[in-house]
């Protein structure tokens, strides 16, 4: 169908070609033909997402391509095979590129982006095989997203005077940690950052009890996406999060998003006050936080969530508004009780699941615990 539509096109150019086959169960598409068509038609926006479903079928990015790369402003390529040489040729020819996303590439070992003066947004996601990333002289770059980097990956950033937003994800044992990333970035670039988003999971023994002494002096907006499906009592992550918040001396808005994937069993600790929380909060220590706005989504009401939220509220002496979005009506009742002494609080329920399957499993597990622990 895609081939038929493209073959039927008679115009001299198009503005955008976007093909998303991530949910397609049939055969893969013709990446080379589609990419060449977009370039021939002088497209400014090219998004090709998972045009093949299996790794051995992933298409190659081969050069030379026809003229047209000089017109591309927004490029998104997912699940393709590319060599370091082809990646370098691609970047060198996209002189007016503003948005650049590479996701799940194969065979790519080195990423080098140098001198693209128009580039504003870079997204490098699930590039686990990449050993080094160099971004230099990108004088217009304002946002950098790095997801799932290997622990041995070396990141070098230089002469990026407008970079203010960092979006980083750490998930597994073999992946690069945020503290290690920041330790390798020049202090002048760390001081530029104003908005940071961190996605992380709970893995006991992977997180330091202190945030390695890194000071993020100008972070004004911090967003934490916490996947707590592994442990209801992960006090190590609790300490890690608290130390990170403390390191942001100018923080005004803190957003905490709890991800719950088949974890209603964490409600078993709802009436308990565990000594380990008291211990780790004592180690972290109280400190005056500059947070004015605290947003919490995915609130279930477990002790872990409640104690983290109350720690921030207790130390945020300038707090002006608290917004809590609970998973469901039961969690909303718990939120009303937990934050009953907090002024200027806005409570509501909302969707906290990225996929319908996650919501189904959440409801299924909740029902099993509600009726006595046996699945129906």
């Amino acid at each position: 169908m895609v081939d038929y539509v493209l073959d039927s096109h008679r115009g001299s150019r198009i503005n955008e070609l976007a093909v998303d086959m991530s949910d397609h169960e049939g055969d893969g598409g013709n990446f080379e033909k589609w990419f060449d068509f977009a370039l021939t038609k002088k497209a400014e926006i090219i998004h090709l997402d998972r045009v093949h479903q299996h790794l051995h079928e992933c298409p190659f990015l081969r050069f030379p391509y026809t003229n047209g790369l000089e017109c591309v402003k927004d490029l998104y390529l997912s699940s393709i095979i590319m060599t370091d040489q082809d990646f370098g040729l691609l970047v060198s020819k996209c002189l007016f590129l503003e948005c650049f996303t590479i996701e799940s590439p194969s065979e790519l070992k080195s990423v080098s982006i140098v001198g693209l003066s128009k580039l504003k947004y870079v997204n490098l996601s699930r590039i686990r095989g990449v050993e080094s990333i160099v971004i230099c002289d990108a004088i217009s770059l304002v946002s950098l997203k790095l997801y799932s980097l290997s622990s041995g990956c070396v990141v070098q950033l230089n002469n990026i005077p407008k970079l203010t937003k960092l979006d980083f994800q750490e998930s597994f044992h073999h992946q690069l940690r945020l503290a290690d990333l920041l330790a390798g970035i020049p202090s002048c670039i760390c001081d530029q950052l104003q908005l940071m988003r961190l996605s992380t999971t709970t893995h006991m023994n992977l997180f330091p009890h202190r945030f390695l002494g890194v000071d993020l002096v100008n972070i004004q907006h911090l967003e934490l996406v916490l996947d707590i499906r592994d442990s209801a009592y992960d006090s190590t992550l609790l300490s890690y999060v608290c130390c990170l918040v403390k390191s942001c001396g100018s923080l005004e808005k803190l957003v905490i998003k709890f991800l719950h994937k088949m974890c209603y069993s964490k409600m078993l600790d709802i009436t308990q006050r565990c000594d380990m929380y008291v211990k780790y909060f004592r180690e972290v220590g109280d400190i005056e936080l500059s947070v004015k706005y605290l947003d919490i989504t995915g609130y279930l009401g477990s002790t872990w969530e409640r104690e983290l939220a109350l720690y921030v509220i207790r130390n945020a002496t300038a707090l002006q508004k608290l917004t809590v979005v609970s998973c469901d009506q039961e969690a909303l009742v718990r939120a009303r009780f937990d934050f009953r002494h907090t002024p200027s609080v806005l409570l509501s329920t909302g969707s906290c699941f990225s996929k319908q399957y996650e919501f189904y499993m959440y409801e299924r597990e909740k029902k099993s615990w509600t009726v006595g622990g046996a699945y129906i």
Side-chain angles (χ1 to χ4, degrees), residues 29 40 54 87 128 132 180 188 210 219 222 233-234 236 303 326 362 365:
T40 302
H54 305 290
F87 179 87
R128 297 185 180 93
S132 67
D180 296 328
C188 60
R210 293 292 181 266
I219 293 290
L222 176 63
Y233 302 103
D234 200 337
T236 310
T303 303
S326 301
Y362 167 80
E365 187 173 356

Side-chain angles (χ1 to χ4, degrees), residues 125-160:
S125 295
R126 291 185 285 277
I127 54 173
R128 297 185 180 93
V130 172
E131 300 172 353
S132 67
I133 298 174
V134 177
I135 302 178
C136 181
D137 298 332
I139 59 175
S140 298
L141 185 64
V142 297
S143 177
L144 176 61
K145 180 177 181 179
L146 301 173
Y147 272 24
S148 301
L149 304 184
S150 300
S151 58
C153 183
V154 177
V155 180
Q156 300 180 34
L157 306 178
N158 290 290
N159 192 23
I160 312 177

Side-chain angles (χ1 to χ4, degrees), residues 55-233:
L55 181 61
H56 66 276
E57 296 178 351
C58 287
F60 281 88
L61 176 69
R62 297 187 179 94
F63 277 89
Y65 274 101
T66 58
N67 293 332
L69 285 169
E70 69 281 357
C71 298
V72 179
K73 295 182 179 180
D74 186 343
L75 180 61
Y76 179 107
L77 299 177
S78 173
S79 300
I80 64 173
I81 299 174
M82 63 172 66
T83 65
D84 294 352
Q85 181 180 7
D86 285 332
F87 179 87
L89 288 171
L90 175 67
V91 173
S92 66
K93 293 179 180 294
C94 296
L95 299 179
F96 295 94
L97 198 60
E98 296 180 1
C99 303
F100 187 32
T101 297
I102 293 293
E103 186 174 288
S104 303
S106 300
E107 296 191 9
L108 189 62
K109 300 298 182 182
S110 178
V111 170
S112 181
I113 302 174
V114 179
L116 293 183
S117 60
K118 303 291 185 180
L119 192 61
K120 297 178 180 179
Y121 307 96
V122 171
N123 178 354
L124 305 174
S125 295
R126 291 185 285 277
I127 54 173
R128 297 185 180 93
V130 172
E131 300 172 353
S132 67
I133 298 174
V134 177
I135 302 178
C136 181
D137 298 332
I139 59 175
S140 298
L141 185 64
V142 297
S143 177
L144 176 61
K145 180 177 181 179
L146 301 173
Y147 272 24
S148 301
L149 304 184
S150 300
S151 58
C153 183
V154 177
V155 180
Q156 300 180 34
L157 306 178
N158 290 290
N159 192 23
I160 312 177
K162 294 184 179 180
L163 182 65
T164 56
K165 178 181 179 180
L166 175 64
D167 188 348
F168 187 78
Q169 181 190 64
E170 51 185 16
S171 301
F172 304 105
H173 180 66
H174 65 279
Q175 292 185 3
L176 187 69
R177 318 245 56 92
L178 176 64
D180 296 328
L181 171 72
L182 295 177
I185 296 178
S187 58
C188 60
I189 293 182
C190 287
D191 292 345
Q192 293 173 191
L193 297 177
Q194 298 178 15
L195 191 155
M196 186 166 71
R197 183 177 190 268
L198 170 65
S199 302
T200 190
T201 62
T202 58
H203 289 271
M204 294 296 294
N205 75 2
L206 290 188
F207 298 94
H209 288 275
R210 293 292 181 266
F211 193 60
L212 301 183
V214 177
D215 291 325
L216 300 168
V217 295
N218 291 315
I219 293 290
Q220 299 177 13
H221 183 127
L222 176 63
E223 182 175 327
L224 302 175
V225 181
L226 306 177
D227 185 345
I228 59 173
R229 57 185 161 180
D230 295 330
S231 171
Y233 302 103

